[in-house]
Amino acid sequence: MNQGLEQYYSGDENWQDFVKIAEQNTCLPDDYKMKIVQALKGHYDIAIVVYYRLLDESFEWIYKKNPALENLTPIECLETPDLIERLKEALMRMP
């Protein structure tokens, strides 16, 4: 049963639209891209959006507990499909 932010997940279509916006507005250096994609267990789409939102603070953020993620780290949110949706929704809602 979804109890966190994942219950409000905007859906895959909205996520993909957001990823496209992030790709168009982000110049992610190749060496950094490889490192962040690897750290995020191959989730290229999430890596692009994390960098789009946080730039040079991306690595610090993905390993830090986050209240919006119910005190999980973004890395921990990659463990289940529901938690991935929680992470995606949190990224789309970030100011």
Side-chain angles (χ1 to χ4, degrees):
M1 180 172 157
N2 293 342
Q3 295 184 18
L5 196 55
E6 63 271 20
Q7 68 184 316
Y8 303 107
Y9 180 54
S10 302
D12 291 337
E13 187 175 331
N14 286 333
W15 171 252
Q16 290 305 320
D17 289 344
F18 192 71
V19 170
K20 288 177 189 173
I21 290 167
E23 283 180 314
Q24 293 168 356
N25 292 289
T26 302
C27 183
L28 184 58
D30 286 338
D31 59 331
Y32 195 89
K33 184 188 307 182
M34 287 186 345
K35 289 177 186 176
I36 196 165
V37 170
Q38 184 177 25
L40 290 166
K41 301 180 182 181
H43 291 271
Y44 175 81
D45 58 337
I46 294 173
I48 291 295
V49 173
V50 166
Y51 186 77
Y52 172 66
R53 290 296 201 186
L54 297 145
L55 300 172
D56 294 334
E57 297 175 19
S58 297
F59 273 103
E60 180 182 335
W61 186 81
I62 65 175
Y63 293 106
K64 188 175 180 180
K65 292 193 181 290
N66 188 312
L69 303 173
E70 296 185 17
N71 288 319
L72 295 174
T73 67
I75 296 293
E76 291 171 320
C77 287
L78 300 176
E79 298 301 319
T80 69
D82 283 347
L83 291 177
I84 290 171
E85 288 181 359
R86 180 183 297 179
L87 176 58
K88 289 177 178 180
E89 187 62 29
L91 285 164
M92 287 191 283
R93 289 176 179 226
M94 287 177 84

